[in-house]
Structures are given as C-alpha cells and as structure tokens.
Amino acid sequence: MGAPIGIDIALAAALLNDGKLVAIPTETVYGLSANGLNTDAVAAIFAAKNRPTFDPLILHVSSIDQAKSLCSTWPAAASKLANAFWPGPLTMVLPKADHVPHLVTADNPTVAVRMPNNAMTLALLNQVSFPLAAPSANPFGYVSPTNAQHVLDQLGERIDYILDGGPCAIGIESTIVSISEEDEVTVLRLGGLDIDSISAVLGKSISEVLTTHSNPQAPGQLDQHYAPGSSMIPWDPNQSEAEARLINHNSNETFGLLWFSQQQAQQWLSLHPAAAANKTMKHYHLSEDGNDKEAAMNLFGTLRRFDKDQCHQVYFVWAPPAGLGRAINDRLKRASAKGSR
Ligand code: TXA
Ligand code: MG
C-alpha cells in the first residue's frame, strides 16, 4: 500500500492547500513538499523524515519574483545567478524575509530558495499561492530518491501523494551557494551545477565552505549524509593490493564493487581474472564511458541496488574530480563516513 503515485497536479495542489505532504519530482532528486509558510505543515515534513529541526529546508518557487518575496534583500549576484541558472539545480541562501517561518530556516537569519526545472512541479507551484518547502524525500541520512518508486519504498506510509515525473534528469541534489548583503558568494554544497559555470557567470572565482563536520552556516552538511545501508569503502584499482582485497574478501558474504565507468571496469577485470571470477561480488558502473553527468544521474539508484543485493560492504572507485565528479565524490565521501557513526 502506501501513498498513491500519480500525475494529478490538481489533486496534489488540493492536498497541499490542506496542509498535507506531497512528494514532488525535480530535475535533481524527489522532494517531500508541504506549504512552506504553514508551520504545522512544515513540522509534518520533519516528522515524516525523522529530520532534526536544526537542519533547515529549501523553499521552492515558480518565479524570481516569488523568490524575492521570501528574502529581505536581493543582491546583484542573486539576480545574475537566477537569470543564468533558474529553473535549475542551484539553491541560493539569502537574508530571509520576516514572514518566512523560523522552523523552515532552523532559526537562521537566512532562507534557501530554488526554482526547480521540472514541468509538473512548476505547474503545481503555479496552482498554489505559497512556496513549497521540500527536503529530499528520503528518511534523514539515507540517499536521496531519484524516482517515484524510491519515495514509495521508504516514505510511502508517511505521506499523502507522490507526483510522478519519471526519473530525475540530474540525479544529484542542487548546488547551494550563500550570498551576503555585500554580494559575496560562497559555495556551501557541491551539487548538480558545477562550480566553474557559476564562476563564469559571476566573472570571478568563488570560495567554498564545504566542511565535513556540522557547519553553522549549513547545519545539514553532516558527515554521514547520503549513506546507503552498506558500508562504503574507497578502493583504488591502481594500487598493488587492489586485486588481493577483492579476492580475500570474506567469501560467504555478497559484497559490491562500484566503478565510475564500464570501460574502466572491463579493462581492469580483463587484466585480473581471479578477481573477476569472485562469485560473491556484485559490480555496477555509473557510466558507460566516463561521462560525469550520466554518472551523477545513476549514482543514488546504483547505491540502492547494492542495498537490494544485500551487500554489507561496497568498494567504490572515486570519480575523476572534474565537472560533476566533485559532487559525486562528495556524496561518496559522506556515504563512506557512515562507518564512523
Ligand atoms: O536538489 C535539492 O536541493 C533537493 C530538491 C528536492 O530540491 N533538495 C534537497 O533538500 O536536497 P535537503 O533538505 O535534503 O538539503 C538542503 C540543504 C540542507 O543540507 C540544509 O542544511 C541546507 O540545504 N540549507 C537549507 N536552508 C539553509 C540555510 N538557510 N542556510 C544554510 N543551509 C541551508
Ligand atoms: Mg537531503
């Protein structure tokens, strides 16, 4: 059972008007949405996700004007970036307007705003009179959902409807930047928009505050975010002990091997037939020939496959750190920090 999955935008709007919870498709990942100006509805999001209230939510909007109405200032950099990248995978953290509930921003003086690039969700936003507060639609600390079934699997019993927009085109959460009243732009989270594109629009390089520990500016950027059920262990195919680690892995237990590309996997496995013959190993790749966008799109779904296969441990290969490769590595790093939980 669980929440119905469908494409009824009018029904989704009616439920949201009623203070209910609706999962929505975006180009990055599915969100768990509610009326972002209704404190009770927002509280229900935290409860459904089991999310601590110190972790603030993003408000999703359908226009730049709506975003401006949620902020107390709209610096020049916000205009430039919104014009260049919205709708799209960029969230901007700006000084908040007074009427934005404190629960949404976790008592921060700032609010996160984003216009998602998904036709259904934009149509839905146009049918309601409020912004949608929406974190990723997964239980707190687990990997984000990239299709409607992922949402149903984990939150189906706790929400009222799942709007089905098909698989997410980008597959990794939005890039988050904060913009100060003085127009200073700082990256808080790597994501679906690469940093070079942002720098190019601003005409200067931008600083990054990507702490691996709880960050007062981005309280949700915790170490062990995005973790699947399996333990994720970095593995370097070029190291001399790489093959031995696979061969010597406890032979009674299914384990996983995550490649960045199929090409890389084929080359290495053909040179190491003893490892390739290990029947307890499940291996998947993120892309055919090393395309970073394809890899990002496949990342979370692939981590879920290892869980379905009941792999207790998964060895993974880092992505080349260019384009979305940096954001992919950020998620892999957080997933592998789970062991320290
Ligand atoms: O792509 C996305 O961003 C997806 C889709 C659904 O839009 N949403 C998403 O939401 O990833 P969530 O809640 O899983 O992650 C949002 C992050 C959190 O880590 C939170 O700490 C940070 O945004 N955030 C929200 N408001 C903030 C604020 N005022 N200051 C600093 N960080 C903030
Ligand atoms: Mg999340």
Side-chain angles (χ1 to χ4, degrees):
M1 276 298 290
I5 296 182
I7 56 167
D8 190 339
I9 294 171
L11 172 63
L15 289 165
L16 291 166
N17 277 324
D18 235 10
K20 298 273 175 29
L21 300 182
V22 174
I24 51 168
T26 84
E27 79 284 27
T28 57
V29 300
Y30 274 70
L32 174 55
S33 80
N35 178 347
L37 301 181
N38 172 337
T39 302
D40 290 341
V42 172
I45 295 179
F46 283 98
K49 268 191 70 118
N50 209 6
R51 178 175 172 124
T53 50
F54 62 72
D55 195 2
L57 305 181
I58 298 171
L59 290 180
H60 295 73
V61 298
S62 59
S63 70
I64 292 178
D65 280 344
Q66 189 182 18
K68 282 184 185 168
S69 76
L70 300 167
C71 304
S72 63
T73 54
W74 193 257
S79 280
K80 276 191 198 163
L81 295 180
N83 287 330
F85 299 117
W86 279 5
L90 175 70
T91 295
M92 298 195 289
V93 171
L94 291 151
K96 84 187 247 315
D98 286 344
H99 70 285
V100 173
H102 292 287
L103 187 57
V104 169
T105 67
D107 275 332
N108 281 287
T110 53
V111 61
V113 289
R114 169 164 118 82
M115 192 194 305
N117 189 13
N118 178 282
M120 283 178 113
T121 290
L122 287 172
L124 174 63
L125 279 163
N126 280 317
Q127 286 193 25
V128 295
S129 60
F130 41 79
L132 290 176
S136 51
N138 50 279
F140 182 69
Y142 195 72
V143 291
S144 297
T146 51
N147 64 39
Q149 185 65 42
H150 293 163
V151 181
L152 182 70
D153 288 347
Q154 292 193 302
L155 293 178
E157 305 298 327
R158 298 174 176 211
I159 64 181
D160 299 289
Y161 192 62
I162 301 170
L163 196 58
D164 189 355
C168 300
I170 291 180
I172 199 161
E173 301 86 348
S174 61
T175 299
I176 305 181
V177 298
S178 74
I179 305 177
S180 70
E181 289 185 50
E182 296 75 36
D183 227 23
E184 273 311 305
V185 179
T186 309
V187 180
L188 300 181
R189 176 176 76 182
L190 297 172
L193 180 64
D194 68 277
I195 304 305
D196 291 346
S197 305
I198 300 176
S199 304
V201 165
L202 295 173
K204 59 177 184 187
S205 64
I206 45 179
S207 55
E208 300 179 5
V209 187
L210 309 168
T211 55
T212 50
H213 292 287
S214 187
N215 172 355
Q217 276 223 63
Q221 312 301 79
L222 303 176
D223 257 359
Q224 308 99 339
H225 242 79
Y226 315 103
S230 1
S231 301
M232 302 288 299
I233 305 161
W235 179 83
D236 179 352
N238 299 316
Q239 278 192 346
S240 52
E241 72 273 23
E243 180 173 33
R245 280 179 85 185
L246 301 189
I247 294 171
N248 297 335
H249 195 99
N250 180 351
S251 61
N252 302 318
E253 181 183 275
T254 307
F255 72 103
L257 180 56
L258 177 63
W259 296 96
F260 182 67
S261 77
Q262 185 176 33
Q263 237 170 21
Q264 177 186 49
Q266 278 171 348
Q267 260 176 20
W268 192 90
L269 290 168
S270 66
L271 292 172
H272 300 89
N278 189 334
K279 291 276 182 293
T280 55
M281 182 170 79
K282 297 269 180 198
H283 52 97
Y284 300 122
H285 52 265
L286 295 178
S287 66
E288 297 295 317
D289 57 4
N291 179 298
D292 60 320
K293 293 194 165 71
E294 183 189 347
M297 192 176 77
N298 291 324
L299 177 65
F300 291 142
T302 307
L303 295 184
R304 281 170 193 264
R305 281 173 79 175
F306 287 119
D307 274 2
K308 277 227 160 91
D309 292 340
Q310 298 189 315
C311 292
H312 295 293
Q313 296 188 308
V314 175
Y315 294 106
F316 68 86
V317 177
W318 296 109
L324 297 190
R326 289 194 61 210
I328 292 170
N329 287 343
D330 171 82
R331 301 306 187 265
L332 288 170
K333 186 170 158 206
R334 290 174 202 269
S336 65
K338 187 187 157 200
S340 58
R341 224 198 281 243

